[in-house]
Amino acid sequence: MPEPPPGRPGRPSILRLRAGILLLLALIMFCISAGRFVAVQFELGWIWATVVALIVAGLIAFGITRLTRKTYFLLATGITLITTYLVFDFLRGALDWSPATALVFALVPCLILAAAFWDFRKLKLEFGGWLNSP
Protein backbone atom coordinates (compact mmCIF):
# COMPACT_ATOMS: atom_id res chain seq x y z
CA MET A 1 0.00 0.00 0.00
CA PRO A 2 1.60 3.29 -1.04
CA GLU A 3 2.18 5.91 1.60
CA PRO A 4 0.35 9.23 1.35
CA PRO A 5 2.52 12.13 0.17
CA PRO A 6 4.36 14.08 2.89
CA GLY A 7 2.30 16.85 4.42
CA ARG A 8 -0.98 15.01 3.82
CA PRO A 9 -1.55 12.72 6.82
CA GLY A 10 -4.48 10.31 7.03
CA ARG A 11 -6.80 9.27 4.24
CA PRO A 12 -6.27 11.05 0.94
CA SER A 13 -9.02 13.45 -0.03
CA ILE A 14 -10.95 12.75 -3.20
CA LEU A 15 -12.51 16.23 -3.16
CA ARG A 16 -10.69 18.37 -5.72
CA LEU A 17 -11.59 20.03 -8.99
CA ARG A 18 -11.75 17.41 -11.72
CA ALA A 19 -13.01 17.28 -15.30
CA GLY A 20 -14.80 14.01 -14.51
CA ILE A 21 -17.04 15.82 -12.06
CA LEU A 22 -18.63 17.57 -15.05
CA LEU A 23 -19.63 14.18 -16.40
CA LEU A 24 -20.89 13.15 -12.98
CA LEU A 25 -23.05 16.29 -12.83
CA ALA A 26 -24.38 15.54 -16.30
CA LEU A 27 -25.34 12.02 -15.16
CA ILE A 28 -27.11 13.44 -12.11
CA MET A 29 -29.02 15.89 -14.31
CA PHE A 30 -29.95 13.01 -16.63
CA CYS A 31 -31.30 10.96 -13.71
CA ILE A 32 -33.36 13.87 -12.42
CA SER A 33 -34.73 14.56 -15.91
CA ALA A 34 -35.59 10.88 -16.41
CA GLY A 35 -37.40 10.73 -13.07
CA ARG A 36 -39.36 13.88 -13.74
CA PHE A 37 -40.20 12.75 -17.29
CA VAL A 38 -41.62 9.42 -16.09
CA ALA A 39 -43.55 11.13 -13.29
CA VAL A 40 -45.11 13.63 -15.71
CA GLN A 41 -46.01 10.90 -18.22
CA PHE A 42 -47.84 8.88 -15.56
CA GLU A 43 -49.20 11.95 -13.74
CA LEU A 44 -47.26 11.17 -10.57
CA GLY A 45 -45.92 13.58 -7.96
CA TRP A 46 -42.44 14.72 -7.01
CA ILE A 47 -41.92 11.83 -4.59
CA TRP A 48 -42.36 9.32 -7.39
CA ALA A 49 -40.11 11.44 -9.61
CA THR A 50 -37.44 11.22 -6.93
CA VAL A 51 -37.89 7.47 -6.58
CA VAL A 52 -37.58 6.97 -10.34
CA ALA A 53 -34.52 9.27 -10.45
CA LEU A 54 -32.86 7.20 -7.71
CA ILE A 55 -33.65 3.96 -9.55
CA VAL A 56 -32.19 5.36 -12.79
CA ALA A 57 -29.11 6.56 -10.88
CA GLY A 58 -28.68 3.10 -9.34
CA LEU A 59 -28.99 1.40 -12.72
CA ILE A 60 -26.47 3.79 -14.28
CA ALA A 61 -24.04 3.30 -11.38
CA PHE A 62 -24.43 -0.48 -11.67
CA GLY A 63 -23.83 -0.31 -15.42
CA ILE A 64 -20.77 1.92 -15.09
CA THR A 65 -19.16 -0.33 -12.49
CA ARG A 66 -19.67 -3.36 -14.74
CA LEU A 67 -18.16 -1.83 -17.89
CA THR A 68 -14.83 -3.18 -18.98
CA ARG A 69 -12.08 -0.73 -19.88
CA LYS A 70 -12.47 -1.42 -23.60
CA THR A 71 -16.25 -1.05 -23.52
CA TYR A 72 -16.00 2.18 -21.53
CA PHE A 73 -13.57 3.73 -24.00
CA LEU A 74 -15.64 2.59 -27.00
CA LEU A 75 -18.77 4.10 -25.46
CA ALA A 76 -16.93 7.31 -24.54
CA THR A 77 -15.45 7.58 -28.03
CA GLY A 78 -18.86 7.06 -29.63
CA ILE A 79 -20.55 9.69 -27.47
CA THR A 80 -17.70 12.14 -28.05
CA LEU A 81 -17.76 11.68 -31.83
CA ILE A 82 -21.55 11.95 -32.05
CA THR A 83 -21.49 15.13 -29.95
CA THR A 84 -18.73 16.60 -32.10
CA TYR A 85 -20.69 15.83 -35.27
CA LEU A 86 -23.88 17.38 -33.85
CA VAL A 87 -22.02 20.57 -32.92
CA PHE A 88 -20.39 20.68 -36.36
CA ASP A 89 -23.74 20.09 -38.08
CA PHE A 90 -25.42 22.81 -36.01
CA LEU A 91 -22.67 25.31 -36.79
CA ARG A 92 -22.80 24.45 -40.51
CA GLY A 93 -26.57 24.27 -40.89
CA ALA A 94 -28.21 26.61 -38.40
CA LEU A 95 -25.48 29.24 -38.19
CA ASP A 96 -24.19 28.80 -41.75
CA TRP A 97 -20.51 28.91 -40.77
CA SER A 98 -17.77 27.79 -43.12
CA PRO A 99 -16.66 24.14 -42.83
CA ALA A 100 -13.23 25.06 -41.47
CA THR A 101 -14.59 27.40 -38.80
CA ALA A 102 -17.29 24.94 -37.80
CA LEU A 103 -14.71 22.16 -37.48
CA VAL A 104 -12.41 24.26 -35.30
CA PHE A 105 -15.26 25.25 -33.01
CA ALA A 106 -16.62 21.67 -32.92
CA LEU A 107 -13.25 20.46 -31.65
CA VAL A 108 -13.66 22.50 -28.45
CA PRO A 109 -16.53 20.42 -26.98
CA CYS A 110 -14.83 17.32 -28.40
CA LEU A 111 -11.71 17.98 -26.33
CA ILE A 112 -13.69 18.93 -23.23
CA LEU A 113 -15.86 15.81 -23.46
CA ALA A 114 -12.86 13.55 -24.12
CA ALA A 115 -11.07 15.00 -21.08
CA ALA A 116 -14.19 14.55 -18.96
CA PHE A 117 -14.57 10.89 -19.96
CA TRP A 118 -10.85 10.24 -19.38
CA ASP A 119 -10.93 11.88 -15.96
CA PHE A 120 -14.24 10.25 -15.02
CA ARG A 121 -12.61 6.84 -15.55
CA LYS A 122 -9.73 7.84 -13.27
CA LEU A 123 -12.17 9.37 -10.78
CA LYS A 124 -14.16 6.12 -10.67
CA LEU A 125 -11.02 4.10 -9.96
CA GLU A 126 -9.80 6.59 -7.33
CA PHE A 127 -13.21 6.65 -5.66
CA GLY A 128 -13.19 2.84 -5.39
CA GLY A 129 -9.68 2.94 -3.93
CA TRP A 130 -10.66 5.70 -1.54
CA LEU A 131 -13.68 3.71 -0.30
CA ASN A 132 -11.54 0.61 0.21
CA SER A 133 -8.68 2.41 2.01
CA PRO A 134 -8.28 1.77 5.75
Side-chain angles (χ1 to χ4, degrees), residues 28-97:
I28 290 170
M29 288 175 44
F30 174 77
C31 294
I32 292 170
S33 298
R36 184 66 186 142
F37 174 77
V38 170
V40 166
Q41 292 300 314
F42 292 108
E43 299 178 3
L44 303 171
W46 280 99
I47 293 175
W48 281 106
T50 305
V51 169
V52 171
L54 291 174
I55 290 171
V56 170
L59 290 173
I60 288 175
F62 180 75
I64 288 174
T65 58
R66 301 294 183 239
L67 288 177
T68 64
R69 178 187 160 114
K70 184 178 179 180
T71 307
Y72 178 81
F73 283 122
L74 285 173
L75 186 63
T77 302
I79 292 172
T80 302
L81 290 176
I82 289 170
T83 303
T84 303
Y85 171 73
L86 292 174
V87 170
F88 175 78
D89 186 52
F90 175 77
L91 294 174
R92 283 287 298 139
L95 299 182
D96 198 27
W97 287 10

Side-chain angles (χ1 to χ4, degrees), residues 2 6 20 105 113 129:
F105 278 94
L113 197 54

